[in-house]
Amino acid sequence: MSEETSKEKAKPSSAPDVPQPITEKPAEAPPDKPKEEEKASFVFPNYMPTQQAGDTGVMFDFTCGARIMLPPDSTRKLHCILLETSTGTVLNDSTLKPGYCVSCSKKYYMEYKLIIGDEDTHEILFEHTFNLKDQDVLVQMPYEGAIGDSIAWFSAIEPFRLKTGAKVHVLMPPHIQEIFEKQYPSLIFETKESAEKLRPYAAYYLGLFFKGDEDWQPFDFRFTSLHGTAASILGMDDCQIEHPLVDKGERPVDRTRPYVCIATHGSSNAKHWCNPAGWRVLTRYLNDCGYDVVCIDKTPEVGFGDVWHSIPHGCIDDTGPKSLQQRIATISHASFFIGLSSGLSWLAWCCDVPVVLISGFTLPVCEFQTPYRVICRHACHGCWNDTRYDFDHHDFMWCPKHKGTQRAFECTKLISPNLVIEAIRRIPGVPPHPSDRK
């Protein structure tokens, strides 16, 4: 269970490399930190653990996996046994060296038992059974994280608090924290500066860790949903995750007619609906059904090089850098929402409106459950969930199987407007198209 210094570092979504503490590390050397010019993904603990093991002089905590340290000035001969209690696995059984920190390689939720004994007499001097109840626990996600990821991960935090009884401190992107803070008064929201001053009993790191990592997450995140991987990191594999609560706000005053919200852009080309007629035909269909089509993308155009996507002709352009709370109000009072595997679809999930989700590069297991999920399984699809490939956040044209060929992005090119329209027709209350009334 100990870590190997030569192991390749895992990398969370939208983040620099995560430092990996060594099994026995000199106490005077704090954990590696990202370079100053890089944005740190997480607030990592100080090298000194936060809890005292009775009068043994040993310090311990569970802030980066289990950590046990004998201070460098100690002259005592002590022995440490660390157990993972759910399986009875002995993770460590060794003499504690003064000035060194023993740590477990697994950073996600585990339940432990710590035994400190006298090396010579074998007398047990201290025992501790892991218990989060009433303890300060820091749960954090990348501070500069994306909207959809952060919403998905946040959905697991309140169930975690209710299950464990912990005093849960949350560190998350501030502009996303704003939409949840008033809805969750039992959570303690932190700034990056205040989180650095905490001395928590335990800490957990919510993110997507690539290259098949199983130290920061129990299993490869591609096997489950975004919110499912957060639940597994927090030890709640069997928990049914509901969408987070938001303040839906008032109906926008300029929306007097029935309307549908659409979000047509994503952070990579693979997220887009690449059928050239798709959004245009769909917008015309919805207009004919009596709906205004309100586009709430951040910008009217997005792309890279010679590939660009524009919002469809016939929609109402409500693009712009509006707050998430404004977007929530617009989505919440829409008849339904149509989007991609991207942040605004996750925001719509919080708003209790039907969500038509169009995606080919992800499998339906990746997102929240919606009966209006659209995918074409006759095309190449699901590369995000294919463990042979690691998603490249820096390559807008990432298409691991067919990049540079005519089959590139066929996963959504072959999703026809009719396929999406059939999903819309299943939504209760949607009026028939004029051609259907004849």
Side-chain angles (χ1 to χ4, degrees):
M1 297 294 291
S2 60
E3 298 187 13
E4 300 176 8
T5 59
S6 62
K7 184 176 180 179
E8 188 173 8
K9 297 176 181 178
K11 189 174 182 181
S13 176
S14 308
D17 287 343
V18 174
Q20 298 269 352
I22 303 170
T23 300
E24 289 190 346
K25 189 168 188 174
E28 61 268 25
D32 297 335
K33 296 290 180 70
K35 297 178 181 179
E36 288 187 8
E37 64 270 23
E38 294 178 332
K39 294 178 180 177
S41 307
F42 300 120
V43 170
F44 288 99
N46 193 284
Y47 67 91
M48 178 69 73
T50 62
Q51 312 296 306
Q52 293 183 345
D55 60 0
T56 64
V58 173
M59 302 295 290
F60 72 96
D61 65 21
F62 308 97
T63 58
C64 199
R67 304 192 305 158
I68 305 99
M69 193 198 79
L70 184 61
D73 57 353
S74 176
T75 58
R76 304 187 69 171
K77 294 183 178 180
L78 299 175
H79 196 90
C80 165
I81 298 176
L82 180 67
L83 301 168
E84 196 275 297
T85 56
S86 68
T87 61
T89 302
V90 178
L91 305 179
N92 184 274
D93 186 351
S94 66
T95 301
L96 286 175
K97 298 178 181 178
Y100 280 73
C101 183
V102 174
S103 67
C104 174
S105 64
K106 306 299 185 183
K107 311 307 180 191
Y108 51 84
Y109 179 95
M110 283 187 174
E111 297 181 355
Y112 303 93
K113 184 172 183 179
L114 172 64
I115 303 172
I116 304 296
D118 188 285
E119 180 74 15
D120 295 327
T121 67
H122 306 296
E123 177 187 1
I124 295 177
L125 304 175
F126 176 80
E127 288 186 75
H128 177 79
T129 299
F130 175 89
N131 188 347
L132 295 183
K133 185 174 175 56
D134 297 324
Q135 297 283 5
D136 289 303
V137 177
L138 176 61
V139 179
Q140 54 181 313
M141 58 193 74
Y143 200 64
E144 304 291 338
I147 294 173
D149 295 353
S150 299
I151 291 173
W153 299 330
F154 180 81
S155 67
I157 296 178
E158 177 65 3
F160 171 75
R161 184 191 70 81
L162 293 172
K163 178 180 179 180
T164 62
K167 299 176 184 176
V168 178
H169 302 254
V170 180
L171 180 62
M172 64 186 303
H175 67 293
I176 303 173
Q177 173 183 316
E178 290 174 358
I179 67 174
F180 297 132
E181 202 162 8
K182 292 182 180 179
Q183 315 303 317
Y184 293 92
S186 297
L187 298 176
I188 306 166
F189 290 90
E190 302 287 351
T191 64
K192 200 169 186 180
E193 291 71 26
S194 65
E196 289 173 344
K197 298 176 183 178
L198 289 176
R199 291 178 53 80
Y201 173 84
Y204 301 102
Y205 308 84
L206 306 184
L208 302 181
F209 301 92
F210 288 81
K211 303 184 185 301
D213 175 82
E214 293 184 354
D215 283 341
W216 295 83
Q217 58 198 0
F219 49 83
D220 195 308
F221 67 86
R222 289 167 287 194
F223 294 145
T224 187
S225 62
L226 283 177
H227 45 327
T229 195
S232 69
I233 290 170
L234 295 175
M236 302 187 301
D237 293 320
D238 58 346
C239 181
Q240 183 66 36
I241 301 297
E242 304 291 338
H243 67 73
L245 302 176
V246 294
D247 178 4
K248 296 178 182 178
E250 300 294 329
R251 184 185 180 100
V253 295
D254 54 347
R255 301 274 81 86
T256 57
R257 287 166 37 85
Y259 68 95
V260 174
C261 281
I262 64 171
T264 67
H265 294 163
S267 56
S268 71
N269 202 56
K271 293 184 178 184
H272 286 81
W273 185 13
C274 293
N275 185 305
W279 287 111
R280 176 176 52 82
V281 171
L282 185 62
T283 299
R284 186 170 64 242
Y285 175 86
L286 293 169
N287 288 158
D288 291 344
C289 289
Y291 290 111
D292 287 341
V293 178
V294 181
C295 184
I296 59 171
D297 286 307
K298 187 174 182 180
T299 60
E301 295 180 331
V302 69
F304 178 80
D306 57 358
V307 176
W308 287 83
H309 299 268
S310 300
I311 63 174
H313 177 74
C315 75
I316 295 173
D317 184 349
D318 193 27
T319 61
K322 297 188 177 183
S323 71
L324 291 182
Q325 188 57 54
Q326 288 175 295
R327 293 307 189 195
I328 288 170
T330 302
I331 296 170
S332 296
H333 298 279
S335 298
F336 52 93
F337 173 91
I338 310 172
L340 313 170
S341 184
S342 59
L344 288 174
S345 292
W346 285 92
L347 193 65
W349 177 53
C350 300
C351 297
D352 282 326
V353 298
V355 177
V356 179
L357 200 156
I358 306 165
S359 181
F361 91 116
T362 59
L363 296 177
V365 69
C366 180
E367 299 96 11
F368 52 89
Q369 288 292 318
T370 172
Y372 314 111
R373 179 64 157 84
V374 183
I375 188 171
C376 178
R377 298 185 185 275
H378 299 292
C380 178
H381 64 282
C383 54
W384 167 268
N385 299 94
D386 191 327
T387 57
R388 293 173 296 177
Y389 309 106
D390 277 311
F391 182 72
D392 186 351
H393 294 84
H394 304 291
D395 183 4
F396 184 81
M397 300 301 291
W398 184 79
C399 180
K401 296 181 182 180
H402 303 300
K403 183 177 181 179
T405 74
Q406 291 185 343
R407 294 188 63 188
F409 307 108
E410 71 175 28
C411 57
T412 56
K413 285 179 182 177
L414 295 182
I415 294 177
S416 68
N418 284 340
L419 196 58
V420 180
I421 289 169
E422 285 303 314
I424 291 171
R425 284 174 169 168
R426 298 199 304 270
I427 299 174
V430 172
H433 189 267
S435 63
D436 298 330
R437 302 169 193 161
K438 296 176 182 179

